[in-house]
Amino acid sequence: MVSINTVTGKLNIKDLGCTLVHEHLLLRSEVVTFQFPHLYDEDVIYKKAVEGANAVKSQGVKTICDPTVVGMGRDVRFLERVANETDMQIVTATGIYSFTDIPYYFQNREVDHMAEAFIHDIEKGIQNTNIKAGFLKCSADAPGLTQDLEKVFRAVARAHRSTGVPIMTHSHPETKNGLNQLAIFEEEGVNLKSVMIGHTGDSTDLNYINKILDKGAYIGMDRFGQGPLPAAKRNEVLLQLLKEGLEKRIFLSQDYCCNIDWYTQESIDEIIPGWSIRFLIDEILPQLQKEGVTDQQIHTMMHENVQNWFIGI
């Protein structure tokens, strides 16, 4: 029997059910949160997260993987409250999110020291709680794998090797840096079948996407409803991959943020009108079914793949 860490305790992997592998219940600027708490209405923030979790629960979703880590305002007590309120299974992560540099604390210490911090989150608990991380998260965007970010990727790899929990990345397909990420993981001896290269669905370059898949990694078609590509383009790429029989390596999700303070609500409404945590299941899956995608293929992507990612197969 394989069990995984959720914010409310251990879960039999067979009970994951329909899973959204990349959604955020609370994402905000850590420094502002700590220094200017009066800028936030915590009751409103909590209500939005509960509404989001209940919305997908009504669609049949049982589990949300929330990859909010250091640099994104991670608050595991908040996630625990939402899980208890909604009876949603929530899996949180450990790692560091940045596009350039990392906190001075980690800049001036060895990779293994960072890896031990991640291992502590997985085996002991996060933020002086007994809430444990279920997966690892790291990121690199347009600036590429800076010296600081390479340190994070190597620490994540070593924490994975020590604990066996899977890895999710934030990648930048325009610069094809998912392949650079995999190269570091290979050097560090990571089981690439435990790796999901996030945001791969931002690309229409099937050659690039297939190179990632050829390595054995999973890909995240995980930004439906936002990002640089409209849904129709994302569907075209996904349909082609499904025609090639690759559904066993694909995750579907939205990277939706029930709460995010990086932009004003007005700018979000203008840039991403209609952004919703319900978008994938209400809008995209019916469109895919009209194009011939089978119930079994959807079940594979929404139920089975997450189990295999956690196992590493």
Side-chain angles (χ1 to χ4, degrees), residues 165-224:
V165 304
I167 299 168
M168 178 189 297
T169 79
H170 169 110
S171 72
H172 187 252
E174 187 176 348
T175 54
K176 299 179 173 57
N177 72 6
L179 295 172
N180 298 331
Q181 296 174 2
L182 289 173
I184 291 177
F185 291 148
E186 281 191 289
E187 289 178 14
E188 291 286 340
V190 168
N191 172 17
L192 298 188
K193 293 179 180 179
S194 294
V195 176
M196 168 188 154
I197 301 298
H199 307 333
T200 305
D202 286 356
S203 177
T204 59
D205 185 343
L206 288 166
N207 182 54
Y208 165 68
I209 294 171
N210 276 295
K211 284 181 179 179
I212 292 174
L213 292 168
D214 287 345
K215 290 287 187 179
Y218 290 88
I219 58 171
M221 314 294 281
D222 55 355
R223 271 183 161 176
F224 277 98

Side-chain angles (χ1 to χ4, degrees), residues 53-118:
N54 278 330
V56 294
K57 181 181 177 182
S58 71
Q59 296 175 313
V61 174
K62 288 188 66 177
T63 304
I64 294 174
C65 293
D66 185 328
T68 305
V69 292
V70 175
M72 307 175 86
R74 181 179 61 168
D75 184 344
V76 295
R77 294 172 184 86
F78 179 90
L79 296 181
E80 182 186 41
R81 285 179 63 208
V82 174
N84 285 328
E85 175 76 19
T86 63
D87 200 29
M88 176 64 69
Q89 298 168 171
I90 300 174
V91 186
T92 192
T94 186
I96 294 176
Y97 180 92
S98 174
F99 290 173
T100 51
D101 54 7
I102 57 177
Y104 295 130
Y105 178 94
F106 287 119
Q107 284 183 11
N108 297 303
R109 288 170 174 81
E110 297 299 319
V111 171
D112 285 342
H113 185 76
M114 187 191 299
E116 286 299 325
F118 299 157

Side-chain angles (χ1 to χ4, degrees), residues 21-307:
V21 77
H22 191 147
E23 314 293 342
H24 299 275
L25 295 169
L26 175 61
L27 191 161
R28 55 185 176 180
S29 307
E30 286 183 354
V31 172
V32 179
T33 303
F34 181 74
Q35 297 294 347
F36 307 105
H38 70 280
L39 296 176
Y40 299 90
D41 187 328
E42 298 295 340
D43 290 338
V44 170
I45 288 169
Y46 179 67
K47 181 180 179 182
K48 286 183 177 180
V50 168
E51 288 175 349
N54 278 330
V56 294
K57 181 181 177 182
S58 71
Q59 296 175 313
V61 174
K62 288 188 66 177
T63 304
I64 294 174
C65 293
D66 185 328
T68 305
V69 292
V70 175
M72 307 175 86
R74 181 179 61 168
D75 184 344
V76 295
R77 294 172 184 86
F78 179 90
L79 296 181
E80 182 186 41
R81 285 179 63 208
V82 174
N84 285 328
E85 175 76 19
T86 63
D87 200 29
M88 176 64 69
Q89 298 168 171
I90 300 174
V91 186
T92 192
T94 186
I96 294 176
Y97 180 92
S98 174
F99 290 173
T100 51
D101 54 7
I102 57 177
Y104 295 130
Y105 178 94
F106 287 119
Q107 284 183 11
N108 297 303
R109 288 170 174 81
E110 297 299 319
V111 171
D112 285 342
H113 185 76
M114 187 191 299
E116 286 299 325
F118 299 157
I119 292 167
H120 182 278
D121 279 357
I122 296 163
E123 296 183 342
K124 303 295 184 181
I126 302 166
Q127 297 169 340
N128 289 333
T129 72
N130 61 2
I131 301 168
K132 299 174 183 177
F135 64 103
L136 289 143
K137 172 75 181 291
C138 46
S139 61
D141 205 85
L145 280 158
T146 66
Q147 182 177 351
D148 275 9
L149 296 187
E150 181 176 338
K151 196 171 188 178
V152 177
F153 273 75
R154 293 191 184 280
V156 161
R158 294 175 195 185
H160 157 76
R161 289 184 60 199
S162 176
T163 65
V165 304
I167 299 168
M168 178 189 297
T169 79
H170 169 110
S171 72
H172 187 252
E174 187 176 348
T175 54
K176 299 179 173 57
N177 72 6
L179 295 172
N180 298 331
Q181 296 174 2
L182 289 173
I184 291 177
F185 291 148
E186 281 191 289
E187 289 178 14
E188 291 286 340
V190 168
N191 172 17
L192 298 188
K193 293 179 180 179
S194 294
V195 176
M196 168 188 154
I197 301 298
H199 307 333
T200 305
D202 286 356
S203 177
T204 59
D205 185 343
L206 288 166
N207 182 54
Y208 165 68
I209 294 171
N210 276 295
K211 284 181 179 179
I212 292 174
L213 292 168
D214 287 345
K215 290 287 187 179
Y218 290 88
I219 58 171
M221 314 294 281
D222 55 355
R223 271 183 161 176
F224 277 98
Q226 61 122 333
L229 286 182
K233 281 290 184 184
R234 294 180 186 277
N235 284 352
E236 286 179 17
V237 175
L238 177 57
L239 287 167
Q240 182 57 45
L241 294 171
L242 294 178
K243 287 178 182 177
E244 296 173 19
L246 294 169
E247 61 268 14
K248 292 184 178 181
R249 311 311 295 176
I250 297 171
F251 282 118
L252 304 181
S253 208
Q254 298 152 126
D255 194 11
Y256 181 77
C257 303
C258 294
N259 294 280
I260 180 169
D261 70 352
W262 294 0
Y263 313 95
T264 66
Q265 188 59 52
E266 292 75 18
S267 63
I268 292 172
D269 292 340
E270 180 180 348
I271 296 168
I272 321 173
W275 197 29
S276 165
I277 198 168
R278 296 181 60 97
F279 182 72
L280 174 66
I281 294 177
D282 277 357
E283 302 291 336
I284 297 301
L285 295 189
Q287 292 174 23
L288 295 174
Q289 289 172 316
K290 288 179 182 178
E291 295 290 337
V293 176
T294 67
D295 290 344
Q296 180 56 54
Q297 287 175 311
I298 291 172
H299 189 273
T300 296
M301 293 184 286
M302 299 295 295
H303 291 73
E304 297 171 14
N305 289 351
V306 69
Q307 294 184 30

